[in-house]
Amino acid sequence: MRLYLHDILYDYSNSTSNSTSAAATKPTALSAAVSNPGFFFGRMVVFNDPVTEGRALPPSLEETVVRAQGLYLYDGKVVFDAWFAFTVVFNSTAHHGTLNLMGADPNTEMRDISVVGGTAV
């Protein structure tokens, strides 16, 4: 199964209506001291992202039947790496249930994140 998360981080320059994630912490003094600009070591982001089978954004970001809900932390001091913990929620006539995922998200084109649980109906 290949899924695409469409994470649109609110950064004050984009619309709140199409944003699907928001920073829950401000950059720390350590982040400013040791991180490259824009890496924000220690920052936590909370998200509720639409998930699709293809790379294209869905027509409606809010009415997507598959969602990824959770958080990620920037854990790289000098490289752009993150750590994720989230649930993919399936709510359609074809699929209903959840997948719980967690793990490192290195800055690579393809990412594999471990499935650690879930439910099925």
Side-chain angles (χ1 to χ4, degrees):
M1 177 184 297
R2 181 178 294 178
L3 301 173
Y4 295 88
L5 278 70
H6 301 277
D7 189 55
I8 304 168
L9 180 63
Y10 180 69
D11 66 0
Y12 302 100
S13 68
N14 56 347
S15 168
T16 57
S17 64
N18 75 347
S19 297
T20 61
S21 63
T25 59
K26 293 182 179 183
T28 64
L30 177 62
S31 132
V34 301
S35 299
N36 288 331
F39 285 95
F40 303 121
F41 175 73
R43 184 184 213 180
M44 181 174 67
V45 176
V46 178
F47 63 91
N48 184 351
D49 296 340
V51 177
T52 61
E53 292 183 81
R55 293 177 187 242
L57 274 171
S60 172
L61 296 178
E62 294 303 318
E63 297 177 17
T64 308
V65 296
V66 181
R67 309 282 306 175
Q69 301 168 329
L71 58 92
Y72 56 91
L73 310 167
Y74 292 111
D75 63 352
K77 285 185 178 180
V78 293
V79 295
F80 198 70
D81 286 340
W83 183 86
F84 275 81
F86 64 99
T87 299
V88 177
V89 179
F90 299 90
N91 192 18
S92 70
T93 54
H95 303 288
H96 192 75
T98 63
L99 283 176
N100 299 319
L101 297 101
M102 181 172 44
D105 181 32
N107 187 19
T108 59
E109 185 175 328
M110 295 294 293
R111 294 162 168 104
D112 295 318
I113 298 178
S114 301
V115 175
V116 295
T119 64
V121 177

